[in-house]
Amino acid sequence: MQMQTLLQEAIHKLESAWALRYLKILVFVLATAVVLIRYDVHCARNMSAPAAMDSAQLARNISEGHGYTTEFIRPLSIYLVKQQHHTAGDKDPARLNQDHPDLANAPVYPVVLAGLMKVLPFHFETSLKGVFWSTPDINSPGGRRGLRYQPDFLITFFNQFLFGVLLVMVFFWARRLFDFSVARLSVILLLGTEVLWRFSASGLSTTLLMVIFMGVIWCLTLWESEVREPKGGPNKLLLLSVAVGALTGIGGLTRYSFLCMIIPVVIFLGVYGGPRRLVYCASALVVFGLIAGPWIARNYAASGTAFGTSGYNVVEWFFPGFRLQRSLAPDLPGFPLILYFRKLTTNLLPVLQDDLFDMAGGWIAGFFLVSLMVGFRNPGLRRLRYFIVASVAMLAMAQALSRTKLWDETPLINSENLLVLLAPMIVVYGVGLFYTLLEGIQLPFPEMRFVAIWVFAILIMLPMWFALLLPGKGAIVYPPYWPDKIQQGAHLFSQDEMMMSDVPWAVAWYGDRQTVWLTLNATADPKNPTEWQESFFAINDALKPIDGLLLTPRSMDGHFQTDLLFDGHLSWGHFILGTVTSGEVPNGFPLRKAFPGWMPNQLLLCDRVRW
């Protein structure tokens, strides 16, 4: 009898509102965990974006006490450092025989990763034991072949944690502006947005920047609400203005192109700030400058430029094939304004045709665009929508102007994709429009409303369903990145030696060796001093010896005619063709010992036999 009473009480509690609410939360958490495990095991891969590996190796240097220095050496960075530090008697003007300052990355994300490396057990050796990390190597008795690189996975897991933080922020923001139903469906759709999962597994700073941007949106939401309905007094508005300026500055130091967002932020504060608008705008600008200014001063002291090598991204478009980044003697003539306008208009076309609809993962972006024509009764909704539209315009122009060949290397999932930062807001407004339309439709029976919502959600999340159900590609991103091979080749050299490679970001990350990006030319032409300045020998003979050359399928699989034949007798393509066809290194090249068994897919040349 007592057992029956306890059972009845348990059923009654489950039927009560609070118990049902927590049961739904539990089901949602369990479903999220299932999706997370399935995605990480089935879909997540090692890093493929150069910027992700660059940030990771920089973070390791910071965590090991080497300061903000890099092992991925760009020839353009060598040029800038030499120009800034070249003085009489300086035997190392390029800072290659010591820790070379990083001039390419904004500092926030690498510093965050460095802190993560201090807390979590990062193991930088490949082929860890365990079926999740490696598998027995049939070509090496007792050896193992890596499947997943553990540091890549830990960085992925950290970014997925940030993704969870983002979902929580979006839920409460959507519930504040709309209602619980919109907030719940928005989080479900974001959780099922395949593009956001790919960014979380890419190792890029995008997910962290989305969290920061969501913080900016929250501050502007509270600020706008306080302007309309004062509750905390003028000091609250001032503090929120300071907070939004600080977060925008932190976002700009996470990715330099985000610095442009101070423009729509200040415009928003100025338009809706009332009599004290100038105070709010000035507060945000001053704090923004105080946060970004010291780092810009650091860059200027190290390179003579405000943003180091990243500042040349705008003009890099005029130098195909990363020629500017790989140049030791860049020819930078004055570019007329019409060329920048041409780049803007040329790159805005794919932004309008494709990127604008991919920013939230697909069809939901169409609902957002239609929602621009809906007159919401809530003035806060209308004002924040204006800010989001201004942000779309600003980020679209920044994305078009900063676009480089990197977009072709890793389409969509790269550090130049700025519109994806707006995905949470796009989804929330799109879901808000969906519920508005649903309210205006007379359905034959009430249950049909539930069916319509789930059909809408399933259709929006179709890419995610396919990603989870279709066969995976495997964790190794080969070609060209094979962590085992890269680490094996790099560890033939000591920490104070330098290599050259066509994937220097990967050698720096997986191999932990100082590696300079493949220069424009392979050999020196004594009749052409310019060719000398852009050759292997300009570094090897004058700055620091290059003890190893690692070439991957990124170069070895080059187009036969354009890359190997018609690129001139001084090109690396000509060098590779001669080495592969004859089996011998061209005369005069100092690295003559080839690591056995790697050709024709890869090539590792050393100054002497090291194995």
Side-chain angles (χ1 to χ4, degrees):
M1 190 68 178
Q2 186 177 3
M3 180 63 68
Q4 184 178 0
T5 304
L6 292 175
L7 184 61
Q8 289 177 345
E9 290 179 355
I11 294 174
H12 175 70
K13 289 181 179 179
L14 283 176
E15 290 177 345
S16 62
W18 70 268
L20 188 60
R21 178 184 177 185
Y22 284 107
L23 181 62
K24 289 179 179 179
I25 293 175
L26 178 62
V27 170
F28 177 77
V29 171
L30 291 176
T32 302
V34 170
V35 172
L36 174 67
I37 295 171
R38 174 63 177 174
Y39 188 88
D40 285 349
V41 173
H42 184 69
C43 303
R45 312 184 73 192
N46 294 328
M47 292 182 186
S48 62
M53 289 179 257
D54 192 13
S55 297
Q57 63 88 21
L58 176 57
R60 181 176 55 204
N61 289 343
I62 297 171
S63 69
E64 292 177 351
H66 298 294
Y68 205 81
T69 59
T70 182
E71 291 181 319
F72 167 22
I73 312 296
R74 297 163 175 82
L76 179 60
S77 178
I78 294 176
Y79 168 77
L80 294 175
V81 173
K82 278 180 61 181
Q83 292 292 105
Q84 189 70 4
H85 297 95
H86 187 71
T87 58
D90 192 340
K91 297 181 180 180
D92 188 22
R95 301 298 187 264
L96 293 179
N97 294 290
Q98 54 187 292
D99 293 330
H100 188 81
D102 183 83
L103 301 176
N105 296 279
V108 170
Y109 185 60
V111 170
V112 171
L113 288 185
L116 187 71
M117 291 176 183
K118 288 287 190 180
V119 175
L120 297 183
F122 275 72
H123 297 285
F124 294 104
E125 295 295 324
T126 59
S127 303
L128 289 179
K129 293 182 179 180
V131 295
F132 186 75
W133 307 112
S134 61
T135 185
D137 189 353
I138 59 175
N139 297 320
S140 175
R144 301 189 68 82
R145 181 172 60 87
L147 293 176
R148 294 175 178 84
Y149 189 54
Q150 189 250 22
D152 285 2
F153 183 80
L154 290 182
I155 292 174
T156 291
F157 199 74
F158 170 68
N159 278 286
Q160 289 171 344
F161 168 75
L162 292 178
F163 187 28
V165 173
L166 176 69
L167 293 179
V168 173
M169 296 175 71
V170 171
F171 174 82
F172 287 104
W173 181 71
R175 192 178 69 171
R176 179 185 179 91
L177 289 181
F178 289 93
D179 54 35
F180 177 80
S181 298
V182 172
R184 179 180 56 190
L185 185 56
S186 297
V187 168
I188 291 173
L189 293 186
L190 285 170
L191 188 62
T193 301
E194 192 260 349
V195 168
L196 298 184
W197 279 94
R198 278 200 282 163
F199 269 108
S200 72
S202 68
L204 294 167
S205 61
T206 302
T207 308
L208 174 61
L209 190 55
M210 291 177 74
V211 171
I212 295 171
F213 193 22
M214 199 65 224
V216 172
I217 296 294
W218 255 109
C219 287
L220 290 178
T221 302
L222 297 175
W223 182 89
E224 187 278 334
S225 176
E226 184 68 20
V227 167
R228 285 188 293 108
E229 300 175 1
K231 296 178 181 179
N235 289 335
K236 183 177 180 179
L237 287 172
L238 187 61
L239 288 175
L240 288 171
S241 301
V242 168
V244 75
L247 286 172
T248 307
I250 294 171
L253 293 186
T254 304
R255 191 172 299 170
Y256 288 136
S257 49
F258 190 81
L259 289 171
C260 69
M261 283 304 300
I262 193 62
I263 297 175
V265 164
V266 170
I267 292 175
F268 187 87
L269 297 178
V271 170
Y272 300 113
R276 301 191 67 193
R277 57 172 56 91
L278 292 179
V279 175
Y280 304 140
C281 293
S283 300
L285 280 171
V286 168
V287 175
F288 173 82
L290 289 175
I291 290 177
W295 187 255
I296 292 175
R298 175 263 180 194
N299 287 338
Y300 194 85
S303 66
T305 62
F307 301 106
T309 58
S310 296
Y312 291 89
N313 287 352
V314 177
V315 299
E316 191 175 327
W317 190 68
F318 307 117
F319 300 86
F322 299 108
R323 294 185 67 86
L324 180 57
Q325 295 285 340
R326 294 168 54 201
S327 177
L328 279 171
D331 182 16
L332 294 172
F335 295 99
L337 191 61
I338 187 64
L339 288 182
Y340 295 103
F341 180 75
R342 185 180 302 169
K343 179 183 181 181
L344 176 64
T345 53
T346 301
N347 289 334
L348 270 179
L349 182 61
V351 169
L352 296 175
Q353 289 179 330
D354 301 317
D355 303 344
L356 198 61
F357 293 93
D358 291 337
M359 58 183 172
W363 302 341
I364 193 67
F367 280 83
F368 166 75
L369 295 175
V370 175
S371 74
L372 300 180
M373 297 181 286
V374 176
F376 293 112
R377 288 190 292 268
N378 185 343
L381 274 176
R382 294 198 303 271
R383 292 177 177 182
L384 285 169
R385 182 175 60 182
Y386 298 149
F387 174 77
I388 293 170
V389 171
S391 299
V392 169
M394 181 59 62
L395 292 177
M397 289 189 290
Q399 182 170 308
L401 283 172
S402 63
R403 185 164 178 161
T404 67
K405 194 176 182 296
L406 185 63
W407 191 282
D408 301 322
E409 294 275 325
T410 52
L412 190 62
I413 310 300
N414 56 68
S415 58
E416 295 174 0
N417 189 338
L418 300 176
L419 288 175
V420 73
L421 302 176
L422 294 158
M425 289 70 77
I426 302 302
V427 168
V428 170
Y429 273 88
V431 170
L433 174 67
F434 169 75
Y435 272 101
T436 301
L437 297 176
L438 191 62
E439 292 294 334
I441 299 176
Q442 292 188 355
L443 300 174
F445 47 89
E447 291 77 8
M448 192 66 184
R449 174 186 170 89
F450 179 80
V451 173
I453 292 172
W454 275 106
V455 168
F456 171 76
I458 291 172
L459 289 176
I460 295 297
M461 295 189 295
L462 273 179
M464 187 64 179
W465 296 122
F466 283 117
L468 294 177
L469 297 176
L470 292 179
K473 297 180 180 180
I476 298 177
V477 188
Y478 184 82
Y481 308 115
W482 192 342
D484 282 2
K485 283 277 190 181
I486 293 174
Q487 191 169 102
Q488 178 190 11
H491 283 189
L492 296 175
F493 305 88
S494 63
Q495 287 280 0
D496 59 346
E497 292 180 311
M498 187 168 72
M499 300 175 64
M500 179 176 282
S501 177
D502 55 350
V503 289
W505 46 85
V507 180
W509 172 229
Y510 295 123
D512 192 16
R513 294 297 182 267
Q514 188 183 53
T515 311
V516 65
W517 202 344
L518 204 65
T519 52
L520 292 182
N521 307 100
T523 58
D525 184 358
K527 298 180 181 180
N528 191 337
T530 302
E531 297 291 355
W532 167 266
Q533 289 298 323
E534 295 178 346
S535 73
F536 171 95
F537 294 94
I539 298 175
N540 183 74
D541 294 353
L543 299 175
K544 183 178 181 178
I546 297 173
D547 300 291
L549 173 67
L550 174 61
L551 300 179
T552 67
R554 194 171 186 267
S555 296
M556 304 293 282
D557 292 344
H559 298 289
F560 183 75
Q561 289 188 343
T562 56
D563 292 352
L564 301 183
L565 291 184
F566 298 151
D567 204 23
H569 73 284
L570 299 175
S571 71
W572 284 105
H574 193 274
F575 176 91
I576 293 169
L577 184 63
T579 303
V580 173
T581 55
S582 67
E584 295 182 358
V585 179
N587 291 331
F589 196 73
L591 307 179
R592 307 199 59 81
K593 303 300 180 181
F595 192 82
W598 279 27
M599 287 202 301
N601 296 321
Q602 299 189 76
L603 175 65
L604 176 61
L605 296 177
C606 304
D607 54 344
R608 64 181 187 274
V609 174
R610 291 170 174 263
W611 51 90

